[in-house]
Amino acid sequence: MRPSILRRLLRRVAATAALALVAATLSTAAAVQPAAAAGGLQQVTGFGSNPGNLQMYAYTPAALPANAPLVVALHGCTQTANDYYASSGWPKYADLWGFAVVFPQTTSANNALSCFGWFDPAEDGRGRGEAASIVQMVEYAKQRYGSDGRRVYVTGLSAGGGMTADLLAAYPDVFAGGSVASGLPAQCATSQAGASGCQTGPQKLTPAQWGDKVRGAYPGYSGPWPRVAIWQGTADYTVYPANATALRDQWTDVWGIGQTPSATDSLPGGTTRSVYDDASGDPAVVTYSVSGMGHGLAVSPGSGTDQCGATAAYFLNTICSTYHTGVFWGLDQGVPGGGQLPAPSGLRVTGVTADSVSLSWDAVAGAGSYAVHRDGAKVATTAATAYTDPGLTAGTAYRYTVAAVDGSGTPGTASSQVTATTTGGAPARCFTATNYAQVAAGRAHTTGGYVYANGSDQNMGLYNVFVTHTLKESPSGYFVIADTGCTA
C-alpha cells in the first residue's frame, strides 16, 4: 500500500474516534447509503477532479432564470443529500424565488459516520480535499446552470455547518454568504483529537483570535467578507451553544463591527434574532437563538411562505430557518441589475408611532407596483410611493427596503435600507445576582460548567454562587452583561 493511501486511511480511522460524542448521540441512526435521485434531485458526475471524493446532487427548478443565485447545502453526520433535499425546505424556496441548489454528499467511504471533514486540514483548507471538491461543484453550476458567481451561498448542519464556516474562511471570494446551523467556528479544530473538544466547548479565545483563524485561511485576502447567519438551539448538547457565541465573535471581528448587536427581536418558535450591522447599516452577521431546541436544523412544516421542511431525525419543528436565511441573503428580492427595474431612490421615514412606521420614496419609471420589505421579509405591495406599516411593537427598531415591480410581477433591485424605531416600549430592567441565581431565575443558562446570558449568549463565567453579574434586559427575554452600569 502506498504511504499516501495509508495516511489517508489512518486519518479516517482517527476521525471516527474524534467524533465519538456525535456517534453516541446518533447511535440509533440507520446505516448511511448513497442518496438516490428522488423527485427533482439528480446526481451529477464529471464535475471536476474531485480531490475530496464527494458526490454531487443538484436541484434546479423549471424555467430557472439566467444569472440566478446558487445555494450549496451540506448535510449533517449520518445524513445524505437526499435527507437534506427532502426535509430542509430548500427546494420550496428554489421554486418560489428561482435559484439552483447543490447538495454535496460525503459517505462512509470518507468517514464512518458520513461527516464532512471540518476538523481535518487535508479536507477543509483552500485547494484541498472536500473543500476543493465543493468549489468544483460551484464552478460546474456556474457553467451548467448559468448561476451568478456574485451570489453563491453555502449552508450546513452540524458537521456540514462546521464545513460551511471553513468554506467561508477559505473561499470568501467564492461565497457571498453562509449559514451555520448547530455548527462550529471556522478552524475550531485542526486535528481529529480536537474535534470533540470543540463540540462540547470551543477554546476561550478573544474575538480577534477567532477572527485570525478566518484571516489565516486565505492569507492576504482583505474582503469583501461573506454575510453570515448563525442558528443554534439553547438545549443542544451535541454541539454546545458556546459555539454560536464563538461564531458570532469570529465573524463580527472579521467584519470589524464589534459584538454588541445593532438590534434584537423575537421570531416564531421562541427564536431571538440579534443583528450586527456593517458600517453601511446593512446586516453582516445575524444570530438566531432557538429557545429549548436541541441538535438539528430548525424547520416549520406548512404551506405558509415562512413555513418549510419536514420533521425527521435532526429536523426539528420550531421555525423555518431556511426561509429566514434566504431572506437574510436577499434571495427573495430578485436579481440585482440584469436589465430589471432600478432601485427606488429617496426611501425615507416620514413618521413613527408606537405601533406603526410611515415611509415614502421616489417613483420609478415603468413600475407597476412596489414591494415593501421589513427586516428582509415582504410585508406589502402597493401602487403608491408611500406606505404605512401597522401592527408593530413599541420601542423596536425595524429595517426597510423597497423594490419596484414591473408589469409582469418581476421585482427589480432593492433600495438602500432605512431604519425606523417605533416610539414607547417597556423600559429596560436590571438584575444583580450570582450566576447560580441568574440561571435559577431564567435569565441565563449553563453550558459545560459555564453560564451564558439568555439572548446575547455572553459568557458570565463559572456556574456557582461566587460570581456575581448585573444583567440588563431589553427587549424582553434578551439579557446583556451590564456590570459597569445599568440604566433602567
Side-chain angles (χ1 to χ4, degrees), residues 226-314:
R227 299 184 183 272
V228 182
I230 301 160
W231 288 86
Q232 181 70 48
T234 62
D236 188 340
Y237 303 115
T238 300
V239 176
Y240 279 37
N243 285 283
T245 302
L247 276 159
R248 185 273 314 269
D249 290 352
Q250 182 172 67
W251 289 99
T252 52
D253 179 78
V254 168
W255 275 87
I257 55 178
Q259 288 73 55
T260 300
S262 306
T264 62
D265 62 354
S266 297
L267 298 176
T271 304
T272 299
R273 174 172 56 185
S274 301
V275 181
Y276 302 81
D277 288 345
D278 64 16
S280 300
D282 295 323
V285 178
V286 181
T287 64
Y288 302 84
S289 178
V290 187
S291 179
M293 190 181 81
H295 187 64
L297 183 73
V299 298
S300 178
S303 58
T305 301
D306 61 350
Q307 293 180 292
C308 73
T311 55
Y314 313 108

Side-chain angles (χ1 to χ4, degrees), residues 342-382:
S345 61
L347 178 62
R348 51 203 173 270
V349 179
T350 57
V352 294
T353 69
D355 62 358
S356 69
V357 170
S358 295
L359 307 165
S360 66
W361 55 91
D362 298 336
V364 173
S369 62
Y370 299 90
V372 181
H373 289 75
R374 180 210 315 136
D375 292 334
K378 188 168 74 172
V379 295
T381 298
T382 176

Side-chain angles (χ1 to χ4, degrees), residues 35-232:
L41 186 66
Q42 300 295 326
Q43 185 169 9
V44 177
T45 59
F47 58 84
S49 60
N50 193 16
N53 190 34
L54 299 182
Q55 297 172 0
M56 176 180 177
Y57 291 83
Y59 176 72
T60 55
L64 179 69
N67 297 314
L70 174 68
V71 172
V72 178
L74 303 174
H75 63 76
C77 295
T78 79
Q79 294 179 330
T80 65
N82 190 57
D83 293 333
Y84 222 65
Y85 167 81
S87 297
S88 66
W90 280 111
K92 171 177 178 174
Y93 296 106
D95 288 337
L96 182 63
W97 295 332
F99 57 85
V101 188
V102 165
F103 295 89
Q105 179 174 286
T106 189
T107 67
S108 57
N110 279 11
N111 176 276
L113 295 173
S114 293
C115 304
F116 287 101
W118 59 270
F119 48 82
D120 188 343
E123 303 295 348
D124 66 3
R126 188 176 178 90
R128 301 175 195 162
E130 294 176 353
S133 289
I134 292 168
V135 172
Q136 287 180 355
M137 297 179 196
V138 170
E139 292 303 315
Y140 177 93
K142 287 161 62 177
Q143 296 297 319
R144 179 66 177 83
Y145 311 134
S147 300
D148 184 352
R150 302 166 300 170
R151 295 189 298 156
V152 179
Y153 305 92
V154 59
T155 181
L157 166 65
S158 191
M163 181 60 83
T164 291
D166 288 340
L167 285 165
L168 295 173
Y171 292 97
D173 53 332
V174 172
F175 298 102
S179 180
V180 181
S182 301
L184 300 302
Q187 298 301 314
C188 183
T190 56
S191 70
Q192 294 84 357
S196 294
C198 281
Q199 292 166 211
T200 56
Q203 304 171 62
K204 308 302 180 188
L205 302 181
T206 66
Q209 289 172 322
W210 281 118
D212 285 344
K213 288 181 176 291
V214 172
R215 289 181 283 268
Y218 185 16
Y221 183 80
S222 58
W225 295 102
R227 299 184 183 272
V228 182
I230 301 160
W231 288 86
Q232 181 70 48

